[in-house]
Amino acid sequence: MNSGERTGLTVEWAQQLLYFPSERRFDYDHPLAALRLQRHRDALMAGAASYVDPETGDTVLTAASLMEQGFCCSLGCRHCPFTGGRRQVIPGIVPG
């Protein structure tokens, strides 16, 4: 494997980690799941630390802002990048 292939895998893994939260923290079956993921993606693309949940009006921190803190605070953050678990990939959400 050359370094370009490794970089591609790293970018793909990082996008999955940032854009698709763990099923332990995110309900992919919720009727607003796609809209929540879209708002999260839009916030990430804009460099924003958070977005507003479309149902509750709560401020939700992005995975990137949580990653900057460097550890899991154990408060149950929706986009915690330190929480394991299978992540679903939803076509059209990750920027191409």
Side-chain angles (χ1 to χ4, degrees):
M1 177 184 298
N2 66 38
S3 63
E5 290 172 349
R6 280 194 300 260
T7 302
L9 290 174
T10 302
V11 168
E12 181 180 319
W13 177 82
Q15 284 183 336
Q16 187 171 343
L17 179 67
L18 287 177
Y19 287 93
F20 299 105
S22 169
E23 289 180 330
R24 294 179 187 170
R25 301 281 175 93
F26 189 86
D27 181 5
Y28 283 91
D29 294 324
H30 190 281
L32 295 176
L35 180 57
R36 287 174 171 166
L37 288 173
Q38 187 68 44
R39 289 212 177 164
H40 180 246
R41 182 193 75 100
D42 291 346
L44 288 171
M45 299 287 288
S50 63
Y51 67 95
V52 176
D53 181 88
E55 181 177 35
T56 65
D58 293 342
T59 298
V60 181
L61 297 175
T62 66
S65 67
L66 293 167
M67 190 172 284
E68 285 179 13
Q69 132 184 324
F71 62 93
C72 177
C73 64
S74 300
L75 293 177
C77 301
R78 181 181 295 168
H79 297 286
C80 180
F82 305 104
T83 302
R86 189 168 66 84
R87 298 169 191 278
Q88 294 190 12
V89 175
I90 300 176
I93 300 294
V94 174

Coordinates of all heavy atoms in Angstrom, one line a residue:
M1 N 0.8 -1.2 0.0 CA 0.0 0.0 0.0 C 0.9 1.2 0.0 O 1.8 1.4 0.8 CB -0.9 0.0 1.3 CG -1.8 1.2 1.4 SD -2.7 1.2 2.9 CE -3.7 -0.2 2.8
N2 N 0.6 2.2 -0.9 CA 1.4 3.4 -0.9 C 0.8 4.4 0.0 O -0.3 4.2 0.5 CB 1.6 3.9 -2.4 CG 0.3 4.4 -3.0 OD1 -0.6 5.0 -2.3 ND2 0.0 4.1 -4.2
S3 N 1.5 5.5 0.2 CA 1.0 6.5 1.2 C -0.3 7.2 0.7 O -1.1 7.5 1.6 CB 2.1 7.6 1.4 OG 2.4 8.3 0.2
G4 N -0.5 7.3 -0.6 CA -1.8 7.8 -1.1 C -3.0 7.0 -0.7 O -4.0 7.5 -0.3
E5 N -2.8 5.6 -0.8 CA -3.8 4.7 -0.3 C -4.1 4.9 1.2 O -5.2 4.9 1.6 CB -3.5 3.3 -0.7 CG -3.5 3.0 -2.2 CD -3.0 1.7 -2.6 OE1 -2.4 1.0 -1.7 OE2 -3.2 1.3 -3.7
R6 N -3.0 4.9 1.9 CA -3.2 5.1 3.4 C -3.9 6.4 3.7 O -4.8 6.4 4.5 CB -1.8 5.1 4.1 CG -1.3 3.7 4.3 CD -0.2 3.7 5.3 NE 0.9 4.5 4.8 CZ 2.0 4.1 4.2 NH1 2.2 2.8 4.0 NH2 2.9 4.9 3.8
T7 N -3.6 7.5 3.0 CA -4.2 8.8 3.2 C -5.7 8.7 2.9 O -6.5 9.2 3.7 CB -3.5 9.9 2.4 OG1 -2.2 9.9 2.7 CG2 -4.2 11.2 2.6
G8 N -6.0 8.0 1.8 CA -7.4 7.9 1.4 C -8.2 7.1 2.5 O -9.3 7.5 2.8
L9 N -7.6 6.1 3.0 CA -8.3 5.3 4.1 C -8.5 6.1 5.3 O -9.5 6.1 6.0 CB -7.5 4.0 4.4 CG -7.5 2.9 3.3 CD1 -6.6 1.8 3.7 CD2 -8.9 2.4 3.1
T10 N -7.5 6.9 5.6 CA -7.6 7.8 6.8 C -8.6 8.8 6.6 O -9.4 9.0 7.6 CB -6.2 8.5 7.1 OG1 -5.2 7.5 7.2 CG2 -6.3 9.3 8.3
V11 N -8.7 9.4 5.5 CA -9.8 10.4 5.2 C -11.1 9.8 5.3 O -12.1 10.3 5.9 CB -9.5 11.1 3.8 CG1 -10.7 12.0 3.4 CG2 -8.3 11.9 3.9
E12 N -11.3 8.6 4.7 CA -12.6 7.9 4.7 C -13.0 7.6 6.1 O -14.1 7.8 6.5 CB -12.5 6.6 3.9 CG -13.8 5.9 3.8 CD -13.7 4.6 3.0 OE1 -13.0 4.7 1.9 OE2 -14.2 3.6 3.4
W13 N -12.0 7.1 6.9 CA -12.3 6.7 8.3 C -12.7 8.0 9.1 O -13.6 8.0 9.9 CB -11.1 6.0 8.9 CG -11.3 5.7 10.4 CD1 -12.0 4.7 10.9 CD2 -10.9 6.5 11.5 NE1 -12.0 4.8 12.3 CE2 -11.3 5.9 12.7 CE3 -10.2 7.7 11.6 CZ2 -11.1 6.4 13.9 CZ3 -9.9 8.2 12.9 CH2 -10.4 7.5 14.0
A14 N -11.9 9.1 8.9 CA -12.2 10.3 9.6 C -13.6 10.9 9.3 O -14.3 11.3 10.2 CB -11.1 11.3 9.3
Q15 N -13.9 10.8 8.0 CA -15.3 11.3 7.6 C -16.4 10.5 8.3 O -17.3 11.0 8.8 CB -15.4 11.3 6.1 CG -14.7 12.4 5.4 CD -14.9 12.3 3.9 OE1 -15.3 11.3 3.3 NE2 -14.8 13.5 3.2
Q16 N -16.2 9.1 8.3 CA -17.2 8.3 8.9 C -17.3 8.6 10.4 O -18.3 8.7 11.0 CB -16.8 6.8 8.7 CG -17.9 5.9 9.2 CD -17.7 4.5 8.8 OE1 -16.9 4.2 7.9 NE2 -18.4 3.6 9.4
L17 N -16.1 8.8 11.0 CA -16.1 9.1 12.5 C -16.8 10.4 12.8 O -17.6 10.5 13.7 CB -14.7 9.1 13.0 CG -14.4 9.5 14.4 CD1 -15.0 8.3 15.3 CD2 -13.0 9.7 14.7
L18 N -16.5 11.4 12.0 CA -17.1 12.7 12.2 C -18.6 12.8 11.8 O -19.4 13.4 12.5 CB -16.3 13.8 11.5 CG -15.0 14.2 12.1 CD1 -14.3 15.2 11.2 CD2 -15.1 14.7 13.5
Y19 N -18.9 12.3 10.6 CA -20.2 12.5 10.1 C -21.3 11.5 10.6 O -22.5 11.8 10.6 CB -20.2 12.4 8.5 CG -19.5 13.6 8.0 CD1 -18.2 13.7 7.7 CD2 -20.3 14.8 7.7 CE1 -17.6 14.8 7.2 CE2 -19.7 15.9 7.2 CZ -18.3 15.9 6.9 OH -17.8 17.1 6.5
F20 N -20.9 10.3 11.0 CA -21.9 9.3 11.4 C -21.7 8.9 12.8 O -20.7 8.1 13.1 CB -21.8 8.1 10.4 CG -22.1 8.5 9.0 CD1 -21.1 8.6 8.1 CD2 -23.4 8.8 8.6 CE1 -21.4 9.0 6.8 CE2 -23.7 9.1 7.3 CZ -22.7 9.2 6.4
P21 N -22.5 9.3 13.7 CA -22.4 9.0 15.1 C -22.6 7.5 15.4 O -23.3 6.8 14.7 CB -23.4 9.9 15.8 CG -24.3 10.4 14.8 CD -23.6 10.2 13.4
S22 N -22.1 7.1 16.5 CA -22.3 5.7 17.0 C -23.8 5.5 17.2 O -24.5 6.3 17.7 CB -21.6 5.5 18.3 OG -21.9 4.3 18.9
E23 N -24.2 4.3 16.9 CA -25.6 3.9 17.2 C -25.9 3.9 18.7 O -27.1 3.9 19.1 CB -25.9 2.5 16.6 CG -26.0 2.6 15.1 CD -26.3 1.3 14.4 OE1 -25.9 0.2 15.0 OE2 -26.9 1.3 13.3
R24 N -24.9 3.9 19.5 CA -25.1 4.0 20.9 C -25.6 5.4 21.4 O -26.2 5.5 22.4 CB -23.8 3.7 21.7 CG -23.3 2.3 21.5 CD -22.0 2.1 22.3 NE -21.4 0.8 22.0 CZ -20.2 0.5 22.3 NH1 -19.5 1.3 23.0 NH2 -19.8 -0.8 22.0
R25 N -25.4 6.3 20.5 CA -25.7 7.7 20.8 C -26.7 8.4 19.9 O -27.3 9.4 20.2 CB -24.5 8.6 20.9 CG -23.4 8.2 21.9 CD -23.8 8.6 23.3 NE -22.9 8.2 24.3 CZ -21.9 8.9 24.7 NH1 -21.6 10.0 24.2 NH2 -21.1 8.4 25.7
F26 N -27.0 7.7 18.7 CA -27.8 8.3 17.7 C -28.8 7.3 17.2 O -28.5 6.2 16.9 CB -26.9 8.8 16.5 CG -27.7 9.6 15.5 CD1 -27.8 11.0 15.6 CD2 -28.3 9.0 14.4 CE1 -28.5 11.7 14.7 CE2 -28.9 9.8 13.5 CZ -29.0 11.1 13.6
D27 N -30.1 7.8 17.2 CA -31.2 6.9 16.8 C -31.4 7.1 15.3 O -32.1 8.0 14.8 CB -32.5 7.3 17.5 CG -33.7 6.4 17.1 OD1 -33.5 5.5 16.4 OD2 -34.8 6.7 17.7
Y28 N -30.9 6.1 14.5 CA -31.0 6.2 13.0 C -32.4 5.9 12.6 O -32.7 6.2 11.4 CB -30.0 5.2 12.4 CG -28.6 5.8 12.4 CD1 -27.7 5.5 13.4 CD2 -28.1 6.6 11.4 CE1 -26.4 5.9 13.5 CE2 -26.8 7.0 11.4 CZ -25.9 6.7 12.4 OH -24.7 7.2 12.4
D29 N -33.2 5.4 13.4 CA -34.6 5.1 13.0 C -35.6 6.3 13.3 O -36.7 6.2 13.0 CB -35.1 3.9 13.8 CG -34.4 2.6 13.3 OD1 -34.1 2.5 12.1 OD2 -34.1 1.7 14.2
H30 N -35.1 7.3 14.0 CA -35.9 8.5 14.3 C -36.4 9.2 13.1 O -35.6 9.2 12.1 CB -35.1 9.5 15.2 CG -35.9 10.6 15.8 ND1 -36.3 11.7 15.0 CD2 -36.4 10.7 17.0 CE1 -37.0 12.5 15.8 NE2 -37.1 11.9 17.0
P31 N -37.6 9.6 13.0 CA -38.1 10.3 11.8 C -37.3 11.5 11.3 O -37.2 11.8 10.1 CB -39.5 10.8 12.2 CG -39.9 10.0 13.4 CD -38.6 9.6 14.1
L32 N -36.6 12.1 12.2 CA -35.7 13.3 11.9 C -34.2 13.0 11.8 O -33.4 13.9 11.7 CB -36.0 14.4 12.9 CG -37.4 15.0 12.9 CD1 -37.5 16.1 14.0 CD2 -37.7 15.6 11.5
A33 N -33.9 11.7 11.7 CA -32.5 11.3 11.7 C -31.7 11.9 10.5 O -30.7 12.5 10.7 CB -32.4 9.8 11.7
A34 N -32.3 11.8 9.4 CA -31.6 12.4 8.2 C -31.4 13.9 8.3 O -30.4 14.4 7.9 CB -32.4 12.0 6.9
L35 N -32.4 14.6 8.8 CA -32.3 16.0 9.0 C -31.3 16.4 10.0 O -30.5 17.3 9.8 CB -33.7 16.6 9.3 CG -33.7 18.2 9.5 CD1 -33.2 18.9 8.3 CD2 -35.1 18.6 9.9
R36 N -31.2 15.6 11.1 CA -30.2 15.9 12.1 C -28.8 15.7 11.6 O -27.9 16.4 11.8 CB -30.5 15.0 13.3 CG -31.7 15.4 14.2 CD -31.9 14.4 15.2 NE -32.9 14.9 16.2 CZ -33.6 14.2 17.0 NH1 -33.3 12.9 17.2 NH2 -34.5 14.7 17.8
L37 N -28.6 14.6 10.8 CA -27.3 14.3 10.2 C -27.0 15.4 9.2 O -25.8 15.9 9.1 CB -27.3 13.0 9.5 CG -27.3 11.8 10.4 CD1 -27.5 10.5 9.6 CD2 -26.0 11.7 11.2
Q38 N -28.0 15.9 8.5 CA -27.7 17.0 7.5 C -27.3 18.3 8.2 O -26.4 19.0 7.8 CB -28.9 17.3 6.7 CG -28.7 18.3 5.5 CD -27.8 17.7 4.5 OE1 -27.9 16.5 4.1 NE2 -26.8 18.5 4.0
R39 N -28.0 18.6 9.3 CA -27.6 19.8 10.1 C -26.2 19.7 10.7 O -25.5 20.6 10.7 CB -28.6 20.1 11.2 CG -30.0 20.5 10.6 CD -30.7 21.5 11.5 NE -31.9 21.9 10.9 CZ -32.9 22.5 11.5 NH1 -32.8 22.7 12.8 NH2 -33.9 22.9 10.9
H40 N -25.9 18.5 11.1 CA -24.6 18.2 11.7 C -23.5 18.4 10.6 O -22.5 19.1 10.8 CB -24.5 16.8 12.3 CG -23.2 16.5 12.9 ND1 -22.4 15.5 12.3 CD2 -22.5 17.0 13.9 CE1 -21.2 15.4 13.1 NE2 -21.3 16.3 14.0
R41 N -23.8 17.8 9.4 CA -22.8 18.0 8.3 C -22.7 19.4 7.9 O -21.5 19.9 7.7 CB -23.3 17.2 7.1 CG -22.4 17.2 5.9 CD -23.0 16.7 4.6 NE -23.9 17.7 4.1 CZ -23.6 18.6 3.2 NH1 -22.5 18.5 2.6 NH2 -24.5 19.5 2.7
D42 N -23.8 20.2 7.8 CA -23.7 21.6 7.5 C -22.9 22.4 8.5 O -22.1 23.2 8.1 CB -25.1 22.2 7.4 CG -25.9 21.6 6.2 OD1 -25.3 21.0 5.3 OD2 -27.1 21.8 6.1
A43 N -23.0 22.0 9.8 CA -22.3 22.7 10.8 C -20.8 22.4 10.7 O -19.9 23.3 10.8 CB -22.8 22.3 12.2
L44 N -20.5 21.1 10.4 CA -19.1 20.7 10.2 C -18.5 21.5 9.0 O -17.3 22.0 9.1 CB -19.0 19.2 10.0 CG -19.2 18.3 11.2 CD1 -19.3 16.8 10.8 CD2 -18.1 18.5 12.2
M45 N -19.2 21.5 7.9 CA -18.7 22.2 6.7 C -18.5 23.7 6.9 O -17.6 24.2 6.4 CB -19.7 22.0 5.5 CG -19.9 20.5 5.2 SD -18.5 19.8 4.3 CE -18.6 20.6 2.8
A46 N -19.3 24.3 7.8 CA -19.2 25.7 8.1 C -18.1 26.0 9.2 O -17.9 27.1 9.5 CB -20.5 26.3 8.5
G47 N -17.6 24.9 9.8 CA -16.7 25.1 10.9 C -17.3 25.5 12.2 O -16.7 26.0 13.1
A48 N -18.7 25.3 12.3 CA -19.4 25.7 13.5 C -19.2 24.6 14.6 O -19.0 23.4 14.3 CB -20.9 25.8 13.2
A49 N -19.3 25.0 15.8 CA -19.1 24.1 17.0 C -20.4 23.4 17.3 O -20.3 22.3 18.0 CB -18.6 24.9 18.2
S50 N -21.5 23.8 16.8 CA -22.8 23.2 17.2 C -23.8 23.5 16.1 O -23.6 24.3 15.2 CB -23.2 23.7 18.5 OG -23.5 25.1 18.5
Y51 N -25.0 22.9 16.3 CA -26.2 23.2 15.5 C -27.4 23.1 16.4 O -27.3 22.6 17.5 CB -26.3 22.2 14.3 CG -26.5 20.8 14.6 CD1 -27.8 20.3 14.6 CD2 -25.5 19.9 14.9 CE1 -28.1 18.9 15.0 CE2 -25.7 18.6 15.3 CZ -27.0 18.1 15.3 OH -27.2 16.8 15.6
V52 N -28.5 23.5 15.9 CA -29.7 23.4 16.7 C -30.6 22.2 16.2 O -30.8 22.0 15.0 CB -30.6 24.7 16.5 CG1 -31.9 24.6 17.2 CG2 -29.8 25.9 17.0
D53 N -31.0 21.4 17.2 CA -31.8 20.2 16.9 C -33.1 20.7 16.4 O -33.8 21.6 17.0 CB -32.0 19.4 18.2 CG -32.8 18.2 17.9 OD1 -32.2 17.1 17.5 OD2 -34.0 18.2 18.0
P54 N -33.6 20.1 15.2 CA -34.8 20.6 14.6 C -36.1 20.2 15.4 O -37.1 20.9 15.2 CB -34.8 19.8 13.2 CG -33.9 18.7 13.4 CD -32.9 19.1 14.4
E55 N -36.0 19.3 16.3 CA -37.2 18.9 17.1 C -37.2 19.6 18.4 O -38.3 20.1 18.8 CB -37.2 17.4 17.3 CG -38.4 16.9 18.1 CD -38.4 15.4 18.2 OE1 -37.3 14.8 18.3 OE2 -39.5 14.8 18.2
T56 N -36.1 19.6 19.1 CA -36.1 20.1 20.5 C -35.7 21.5 20.6 O -35.9 22.2 21.6 CB -35.2 19.2 21.4 OG1 -33.8 19.4 20.9 CG2 -35.6 17.8 21.3
G57 N -34.9 22.0 19.6 CA -34.3 23.4 19.7 C -33.1 23.4 20.6 O -32.5 24.5 20.8
D58 N -32.6 22.2 21.1 CA -31.4 22.2 21.9 C -30.2 22.4 21.0 O -30.1 22.1 19.8 CB -31.2 20.8 22.5 CG -32.3 20.5 23.6 OD1 -32.9 21.5 24.1 OD2 -32.5 19.3 23.9
T59 N -29.1 23.0 21.6 CA -27.8 23.1 21.0 C -27.1 21.8 21.0 O -27.0 21.2 22.1 CB -27.0 24.2 21.6 OG1 -27.7 25.5 21.5 CG2 -25.6 24.3 21.0
V60 N -26.6 21.3 19.9 CA -26.0 20.0 19.8 C -24.5 20.2 19.3 O -24.3 20.8 18.3 CB -26.7 19.0 18.9 CG1 -26.0 17.7 18.8 CG2 -28.2 18.9 19.3
L61 N -23.5 19.8 20.1 CA -22.1 20.0 19.7 C -21.8 19.0 18.6 O -22.2 17.9 18.5 CB -21.2 19.7 20.9 CG -21.4 20.7 22.1 CD1 -20.5 20.2 23.2 CD2 -21.0 22.1 21.7
T62 N -20.9 19.5 17.7 CA -20.5 18.6 16.6 C -19.4 17.7 17.0 O -18.7 17.9 18.0 CB -20.0 19.5 15.4 OG1 -18.8 20.2 15.8 CG2 -21.0 20.5 14.9
A63 N -19.2 16.7 16.2 CA -18.1 15.7 16.5 C -16.7 16.4 16.5 O -15.9 16.1 17.4 CB -18.1 14.6 15.5
A64 N -16.6 17.4 15.6 CA -15.3 18.1 15.5 C -15.0 18.9 16.8 O -13.9 18.9 17.3 CB -15.2 19.0 14.3
S65 N -16.0 19.6 17.3 CA -15.8 20.4 18.5 C -15.6 19.5 19.7 O -14.8 19.8 20.6 CB -17.0 21.3 18.8 OG -18.2 20.6 19.1
L66 N -16.3 18.3 19.8 CA -16.0 17.4 20.9 C -14.6 16.7 20.8 O -14.0 16.5 21.8 CB -17.1 16.3 20.8 CG -18.5 16.8 21.2 CD1 -19.5 15.7 20.8 CD2 -18.6 17.2 22.6
M67 N -14.2 16.5 19.5 CA -12.8 15.9 19.4 C -11.8 16.9 19.8 O -10.7 16.4 20.4 CB -12.6 15.5 17.9 CG -11.4 14.7 17.7 SD -11.2 14.1 16.0 CE -12.4 12.8 16.1
E68 N -12.0 18.2 19.7 CA -11.0 19.1 20.1 C -10.8 19.1 21.7 O -9.7 19.4 22.1 CB -11.4 20.6 19.8 CG -11.3 20.9 18.3 CD -11.8 22.3 18.0 OE1 -12.0 23.1 18.9 OE2 -11.9 22.5 16.8
Q69 N -11.8 18.6 22.4 CA -11.7 18.5 23.8 C -10.7 17.4 24.2 O -10.1 17.4 25.2 CB -13.1 18.4 24.4 CG -13.5 17.5 25.3 CD -15.0 17.6 25.7 OE1 -15.6 18.6 25.7 NE2 -15.5 16.4 25.9
G70 N -10.6 16.3 23.3 CA -9.6 15.3 23.5 C -10.0 14.1 24.3 O -9.3 13.2 24.5
F71 N -11.2 14.1 24.9 CA -11.7 12.9 25.7 C -13.2 12.9 25.8 O -13.9 13.9 25.5 CB -11.1 13.0 27.1 CG -11.5 14.2 27.9 CD1 -12.7 14.2 28.7 CD2 -10.9 15.4 27.7 CE1 -13.1 15.3 29.4 CE2 -11.3 16.6 28.4 CZ -12.4 16.5 29.2
C72 N -13.8 11.8 26.1 CA -15.2 11.7 26.3 C -15.6 12.2 27.7 O -15.0 11.8 28.7 CB -15.7 10.2 26.2 SG -17.5 10.0 26.5
C73 N -16.5 13.1 27.8 CA -16.9 13.6 29.1 C -18.0 12.8 29.8 O -18.4 13.1 30.9 CB -17.5 15.1 28.9 SG -18.9 15.2 27.9
S74 N -18.5 11.8 29.1 CA -19.5 10.8 29.6 C -20.9 11.5 29.9 O -21.6 11.0 30.8 CB -19.0 10.1 30.9 OG -17.8 9.4 30.6
L75 N -21.2 12.5 29.2 CA -22.5 13.2 29.3 C -23.5 12.7 28.3 O -24.6 13.2 28.3 CB -22.3 14.7 29.2 CG -21.6 15.4 30.4 CD1 -21.4 16.9 30.2 CD2 -22.3 15.1 31.7
G76 N -23.1 11.8 27.4 CA -24.1 11.3 26.4 C -24.2 12.1 25.2 O -25.3 12.1 24.6
C77 N -23.2 12.8 24.8 CA -23.2 13.7 23.6 C -23.6 12.9 22.4 O -23.0 11.8 22.1 CB -21.9 14.4 23.4 SG -21.5 15.5 24.8
R78 N -24.5 13.4 21.6 CA -25.0 12.7 20.4 C -23.9 12.4 19.4 O -23.9 11.3 18.8 CB -26.0 13.6 19.7 CG -26.6 13.0 18.4 CD -27.6 13.9 17.8 NE -28.8 14.1 18.7 CZ -29.7 15.0 18.5 NH1 -29.6 15.9 17.4 NH2 -30.7 15.2 19.3
H79 N -22.9 13.3 19.2 CA -21.9 13.1 18.2 C -20.5 12.8 18.8 O -19.5 13.0 18.1 CB -21.8 14.3 17.3 CG -23.1 14.5 16.5 ND1 -23.5 13.8 15.4 CD2 -24.1 15.5 16.7 CE1 -24.7 14.2 15.0 NE2 -25.0 15.2 15.8
C80 N -20.5 12.2 20.0 CA -19.2 11.9 20.6 C -18.3 11.0 19.7 O -18.7 9.9 19.4 CB -19.4 11.2 22.0 SG -17.9 10.8 22.8
P81 N -17.2 11.5 19.3 CA -16.3 10.7 18.5 C -15.5 9.7 19.2 O -14.8 8.9 18.6 CB -15.3 11.8 17.9 CG -15.3 12.8 18.9 CD -16.6 12.9 19.6
F82 N -15.6 9.6 20.5 CA -14.9 8.7 21.4 C -15.8 7.5 21.7 O -15.3 6.5 22.4 CB -14.4 9.4 22.6 CG -13.6 10.6 22.3 CD1 -14.1 11.8 22.5 CD2 -12.3 10.4 21.8 CE1 -13.3 13.0 22.2 CE2 -11.5 11.5 21.5 CZ -12.0 12.8 21.7
T83 N -17.0 7.5 21.3 CA -17.9 6.3 21.6 C -17.8 5.3 20.5 O -18.0 5.7 19.3 CB -19.4 6.9 21.7 OG1 -19.4 7.8 22.7 CG2 -20.3 5.7 22.0
G84 N -17.6 4.1 20.9 CA -17.5 3.0 19.9 C -18.9 2.6 19.4 O -19.9 3.2 19.7
G85 N -18.9 1.6 18.5 CA -20.2 1.1 18.0 C -20.2 1.3 16.5 O -19.5 2.1 15.9
R86 N -21.0 0.5 15.9 CA -21.2 0.5 14.4 C -21.8 1.8 14.0 O -22.7 2.3 14.6 CB -22.1 -0.7 14.0 CG -22.1 -0.9 12.5 CD -22.8 -2.2 12.2 NE -24.2 -2.2 12.5 CZ -25.2 -1.8 11.8 NH1 -24.9 -1.2 10.6 NH2 -26.4 -1.8 12.2
R87 N -21.3 2.3 12.9 CA -21.8 3.6 12.3 C -22.4 3.3 11.0 O -21.8 2.6 10.2 CB -20.7 4.6 12.2 CG -20.0 4.9 13.5 CD -18.7 5.7 13.3 NE -18.0 5.8 14.5 CZ -18.3 6.7 15.5 NH1 -19.2 7.5 15.4 NH2 -17.6 6.7 16.6
Q88 N -23.6 3.8 10.8 CA -24.3 3.6 9.5 C -23.8 4.7 8.5 O -23.5 5.8 8.9 CB -25.8 3.8 9.7 CG -26.4 2.7 10.5 CD -27.9 2.8 10.4 OE1 -28.5 3.5 9.6 NE2 -28.6 2.0 11.2
V89 N -23.6 4.3 7.3 CA -23.2 5.3 6.3 C -24.5 5.5 5.4 O -25.1 4.6 4.9 CB -22.1 4.7 5.4 CG1 -21.8 5.6 4.2 CG2 -20.8 4.5 6.2
I90 N -24.8 6.8 5.3 CA -26.1 7.1 4.6 C -25.6 7.9 3.4 O -25.1 9.0 3.5 CB -27.0 8.0 5.5 CG1 -27.4 7.1 6.7 CG2 -28.2 8.4 4.7 CD1 -28.2 7.9 7.7
P91 N -25.9 7.4 2.2 CA -25.5 8.0 0.9 C -26.1 9.4 0.9 O -27.2 9.7 1.3 CB -26.1 7.1 -0.1 CG -26.3 5.8 0.5 CD -26.6 6.1 2.0
G92 N -25.2 10.3 0.3 CA -25.7 11.7 0.1 C -25.4 12.6 1.3 O -25.6 13.8 1.2
I93 N -25.0 12.1 2.5 CA -24.8 12.9 3.6 C -23.3 13.4 3.7 O -23.0 14.5 3.9 CB -25.1 12.2 4.9 CG1 -26.6 11.8 5.0 CG2 -24.8 13.0 6.2 CD1 -27.6 13.0 5.0
V94 N -22.3 12.5 3.4 CA -20.9 12.9 3.4 C -20.6 13.6 2.2 O -21.0 13.2 1.1 CB -20.0 11.6 3.5 CG1 -18.6 12.0 3.4 CG2 -20.3 10.9 4.9
P95 N -19.9 14.8 2.3 CA -19.6 15.5 1.1 C -18.7 14.8 0.2 O -17.8 14.0 0.6 CB -18.9 16.8 1.6 CG -18.4 16.4 3.0 CD -19.4 15.3 3.5
G96 N -18.9 14.9 -1.1 CA -18.1 14.2 -2.1 C -16.8 14.9 -2.5 O -16.5 16.0 -2.3

